[in-house]
């Protein structure tokens, strides 16, 4: 710690700092940043998609303490170029096919700039009326694009809210379901509550359930089968519910998924909702990835039966050209969220809230503070329109169909699960002559596919990720980056083929 004498000397030697929001300096630096990012997008395909740095690299490049005096933006941007960019895995690269996309757009970026520029903290209507009212309008627009049943819309008594991520959406709805039930049966019975999902459900449910106080032993990850394309069988759910009820437990919550992370499997919503209704449990539909596609009429059938659910969510920051973060959550009965999540301290009391004519979104989420996310979603919807958004998504599906066709034509490979949207799940078969991968053993088949994945990513030309489904190690090829074109898909396939050839050549299983 410095002495008061040191502080006095420091203050005597430092010129009074400039206005942190000086309009002209903002204009100058803002233009530099926009140019920097525009150049980044122009050249993003030239970088290794997966960062090639080693752990701890950045500490070797930067000082071990913050600067005592101001540094110019030019010097800072030079360090971004030299030290930060090499440590980025380039999610916006046209050669990025890993995880699920985090697609961006000019409209999404500009909306984010406006949101950051206004920098409002829209926890209730009074704190910025436009932030709340635009969100309610945008969520109804988007709900209508998805053809959600009217009870999910503000105009039908429900409503939508923009969360940060699906993890938050699931936590909010689990909490609402928990309090709804415990208010009936007594708080002391929280240990009897049970939540259900498939063994393909995202780990966000387990985290949310644990945070909400559900005992880990009461989280049922029900087994799926290849014969059901890894969707959750309704009879499997029915049997699990019956077993728990017979043990005196209380079924609480089912998370059904449209487009699972591992394989984009789809749970049969209609049947699951009908079974869940027999026990009056909350059904949440997690369509984090695939929900975007459901604005296209040809994909809308994947959420048929959603009318039986209590809540529905998808991530606009995945495949809807809206920058991170932006998760869209709709609920039929918002009051359950409000009952579980609201606080009303004196310092937040106001006439608008007390009039019951406004929405206070602080009561629909975990945190109090919230960003003006609806601006960027509104700009995406207006800048591109429904027709173009559908065509963007269709173009990615078409590219995935192309990749699937290329894989199918090469006898060295196998498409492991049916393709539903814009992700192809495939594996490399071992070079065993007339034998099948099954004949050589699953461990052998998995090992060569893992070797292929590592080899492809090591090239820096393409980035893909893996999953294990039904014991099969597979490579996930997810199309969805905004800059990806068919030529990038074909180039990626050439990389896969070349690395497969090398894997076969070095394989100990060549007959």
């Amino acid at each position: 710690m410095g002495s008061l004498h040191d502080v006095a000397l420091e203050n005597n030697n430092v010129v009074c700092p400039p206005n942190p929001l000086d309009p002209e300096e903002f204009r100058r630096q803002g233009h530099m940043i926009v140019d920097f990012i525009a150049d980044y997008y122009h050249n993003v395909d030239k970088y290794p998609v997966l960062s090639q740095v080693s752990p701890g690299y950045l500490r070797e490049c930067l000082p071990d303490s913050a600067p005592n005096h101001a540094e110019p933006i030019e010097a800072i941007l030079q360090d971004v170029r030299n030290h930060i960019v090499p440590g980025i895995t380039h999610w916006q690269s046209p050669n990025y096919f890993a995880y699920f996309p985090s697609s961006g757009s000019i409209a999404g970026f500009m909306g984010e700039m406006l949101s950051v520029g206004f920098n409002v903290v829209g926890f209730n209507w009074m704190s910025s009326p436009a932030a709340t009212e635009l969100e309610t309008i945008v969520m109804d627009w988007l709900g209508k694009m998805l053809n959600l049943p009217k009870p999910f819309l503000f105009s039908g008594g429900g409503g939508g809210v923009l969360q940060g991520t699906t993890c938050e959406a699931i936590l909010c709805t689990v909490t609402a379901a928990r309090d709804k039930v415990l208010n009936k049966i007594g708080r002391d019975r929280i240990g009897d509550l049970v939540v259900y999902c498939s063994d393909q459900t995202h780990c966000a449910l387990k985290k949310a359930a644990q945070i909400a106080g559900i005992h880990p032993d009461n989280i049922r990850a029900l087994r799926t089968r290849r014969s059901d394309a890894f969707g959750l069988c309704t009879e499997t759910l029915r049997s699990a519910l019956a077993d728990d009820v017979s043990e005196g437990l209380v079924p609480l919550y089912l998370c059904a998924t449209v487009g699972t992370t591992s394989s984009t499997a789809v749970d049969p919503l209609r049947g699951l909702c009908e079974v869940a209704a027999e026990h009056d449990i909350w059904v949440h539909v997690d369509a984090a990835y695939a929900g975007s596609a459901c604005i296209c009429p040809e994909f809308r059938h994947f959420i048929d039966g959603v009318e039986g659910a209590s809540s529905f969510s998808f991530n606009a920051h995945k495949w809807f050209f809206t920058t991170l973060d932006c998760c869209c959550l709709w609920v039929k009965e918002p009051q359950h969220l409000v009952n579980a999540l609201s606080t009303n301290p004196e310092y937040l009391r106001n006439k608008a809230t007390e009039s019951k004519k406004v929405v206070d979104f602080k009561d629909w989420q975990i945190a109090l503070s919230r960003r003006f996310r609806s601006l960027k979603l509104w700009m995406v919807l207006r800048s591109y329109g429904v027709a173009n958004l559908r065509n963007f998504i269709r173009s990615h599906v078409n590219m995935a169909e192309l990749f699937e066709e290329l894989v199918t034509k090469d006898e060295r490979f196998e498409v492991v699960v049916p393709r539903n949207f814009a992700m192809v799940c495939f594996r490399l078969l071992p070079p065993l002559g007339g034998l099948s991968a099954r004949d050589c053993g699953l461990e052998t088949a998995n090992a060569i596919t893992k070797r292929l994945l590592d080899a492809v990513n090591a090239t820096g030309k393409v980035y893909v990720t893996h999953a294990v489904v039904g014991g099969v190690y597979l490579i996930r090829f997810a199309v969805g980056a905004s800059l990806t074109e068919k030529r990038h898909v074909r180039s990626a396939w050439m990389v896969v083929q070349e690395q497969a050839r090398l894997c076969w050549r070095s394989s100990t299983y060549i007959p």
Side-chain angles (χ1 to χ4, degrees):
M1 297 291 291
S3 67
L4 291 177
H5 177 69
D6 292 336
V7 173
L9 287 175
E10 180 178 88
N11 289 339
N12 287 334
N13 293 329
V14 176
V15 178
C16 183
N19 178 0
L21 284 177
D22 175 75
E24 292 310 313
E25 184 61 16
F26 172 74
R27 192 186 315 277
R28 185 183 77 85
Q29 294 192 28
H31 282 299
M32 292 178 66
I33 295 290
V34 169
D35 286 343
F36 183 93
I37 294 174
D39 288 341
Y40 169 75
Y41 284 137
H42 183 72
N43 296 305
V44 68
D45 62 333
K46 299 179 176 64
Y47 298 114
V49 190
L50 178 63
S51 175
Q52 305 294 301
V53 301
S54 299
Y57 88 99
L58 197 54
R59 286 194 176 273
E60 299 177 5
C61 302
L62 300 182
D64 61 2
S65 59
N68 196 45
H69 301 293
E71 297 184 42
I73 186 65
E74 292 83 358
I76 298 170
L77 280 179
Q78 189 60 45
D79 278 351
V80 171
R81 184 178 293 106
N82 293 341
H83 305 313
I84 302 300
V85 172
I88 292 175
T89 290
H90 300 282
W91 287 65
Q92 302 309 311
S93 169
N95 301 307
Y96 182 96
F97 303 101
Y99 302 111
F100 281 132
S102 180
S103 62
S105 65
I106 295 171
F109 184 85
M110 295 304 168
E112 189 72 67
M113 286 181 67
L114 282 175
S115 175
V116 172
F118 292 136
N119 200 27
V120 303
V121 186
F123 45 79
N124 62 14
W125 184 89
M126 280 290 293
S127 64
S128 271
T132 295
E133 297 201 7
L134 184 62
E135 190 160 332
T136 63
I137 291 167
V138 165
M139 292 303 287
D140 267 10
W141 280 9
L142 195 47
K144 291 174 183 177
M145 289 168 61
L146 288 162
N147 196 23
L148 289 181
K150 192 168 184 179
F152 281 107
L153 309 182
F154 283 103
S155 56
V161 57
L162 293 175
Q163 305 277 354
T165 66
T166 296
C167 298
E168 296 170 48
I170 292 177
L171 177 56
C172 288
T173 52
V174 168
T175 304
R178 178 200 66 188
D179 282 14
K180 176 186 175 185
V181 170
L182 291 182
N183 287 339
K184 294 179 181 178
I185 67 174
R187 293 267 169 180
D188 59 330
R189 294 196 63 190
I190 189 170
D192 294 335
L193 302 181
V194 186
V195 302
Y196 303 85
C197 61
S198 86
D199 57 7
Q200 303 299 307
T201 301
H202 194 278
C203 62
L205 175 65
K206 182 178 181 182
K207 176 181 281 192
Q210 290 179 179
I211 293 172
I214 307 302
H215 195 285
D217 291 344
N218 288 358
I219 302 171
R220 305 279 184 265
L222 304 177
R223 186 178 179 183
T224 57
R225 298 184 295 268
R226 189 166 188 167
S227 58
D228 295 318
F230 297 103
L232 178 57
C233 173
T234 56
E235 290 309 310
T236 300
L237 175 64
R238 190 187 303 277
S239 176
L241 289 166
D243 289 346
D244 285 334
V245 170
S246 69
E247 294 292 325
L249 299 174
V250 181
L252 173 72
Y253 184 100
L254 167 67
C255 183
T257 307
V258 176
T260 60
T261 300
S262 294
S263 67
T264 70
V266 176
D267 291 335
L269 298 187
R270 192 180 305 282
L272 293 175
C273 288
E274 289 173 355
V275 172
E278 297 170 7
H279 297 269
D280 192 27
I281 69 177
W282 187 296
V283 179
H284 176 71
V285 178
D286 171 15
Y289 159 69
S292 299
C294 294
I295 68 168
C296 302
E298 64 268 33
F299 296 114
R300 173 57 175 76
H301 67 92
F302 283 111
I303 60 171
D304 284 353
V306 69
E307 61 272 11
S310 307
S311 53
F312 174 89
S313 67
F314 88 91
N315 288 345
H317 60 248
K318 274 191 166 65
W319 197 14
F320 207 73
F321 312 97
T322 306
T323 51
L324 189 76
D325 53 6
C326 190
C327 173
C328 306
L329 168 67
W330 289 266
V331 290
K332 278 184 178 176
E333 299 179 88
Q335 193 57 44
H336 294 309
L337 280 182
V338 174
N339 291 344
L341 302 173
S342 66
T343 54
N344 295 291
E346 181 61 36
Y347 51 79
L348 292 182
R349 294 186 181 277
N350 62 85
K351 291 181 180 180
T353 296
E354 292 169 2
S355 74
K356 307 295 184 183
K357 295 180 180 180
V358 300
V359 175
D360 287 344
F361 277 124
K362 70 179 179 63
D363 300 330
W364 294 46
Q365 63 176 29
I366 302 301
L368 172 67
S369 299
R370 62 196 324 269
R371 303 175 61 236
F372 198 167
R373 293 188 184 96
S374 58
L375 262 178
K376 57 186 176 184
L377 190 53
W378 184 56
M379 287 194 68
V380 167
L381 293 175
R382 292 193 62 188
S383 296
Y384 305 118
V386 178
N388 278 327
L389 289 168
R390 286 172 174 166
N391 287 333
F392 285 150
I393 288 167
R394 287 169 177 145
S395 71
H396 290 148
V397 174
N398 290 338
M399 285 185 264
E401 289 174 343
L402 168 63
F403 188 83
E404 181 181 40
E405 181 182 350
L406 294 170
V407 172
T408 303
K409 287 180 178 179
D410 192 323
E411 294 182 353
R412 296 174 298 175
F413 296 89
E414 177 186 51
V415 174
V416 179
V417 295
R419 180 194 52 77
N420 289 321
F421 304 101
M423 187 174 83
V424 180
C425 297
F426 70 101
R427 64 173 176 165
L428 175 64
L429 302 177
L432 295 171
L435 297 178
S436 68
R438 184 173 299 174
D439 293 328
C440 75
L442 193 58
E443 184 177 346
T444 299
N446 287 350
I448 196 167
T449 301
K450 184 179 187 305
R451 194 187 315 165
L452 173 63
L453 175 87
D454 292 341
V456 167
N457 287 337
T459 68
K461 298 176 181 178
V462 177
Y463 183 31
V464 287
T465 49
H466 78 283
V468 177
V469 181
V472 175
Y473 188 103
L474 56 84
I475 296 174
R476 304 163 66 262
F477 188 87
V479 181
S482 301
L483 296 173
T484 301
E485 301 173 3
K486 285 187 177 180
R487 61 189 176 92
H488 299 110
V489 172
R490 291 192 178 96
S491 294
W493 175 239
M494 291 176 65
V495 172
V496 170
Q497 284 187 308
E498 173 60 18
Q499 296 306 314
R501 184 182 65 82
L502 296 175
C503 286
W504 265 35
R505 176 181 292 177
S506 63
S507 175
T508 58
Y509 300 101
I510 298 177

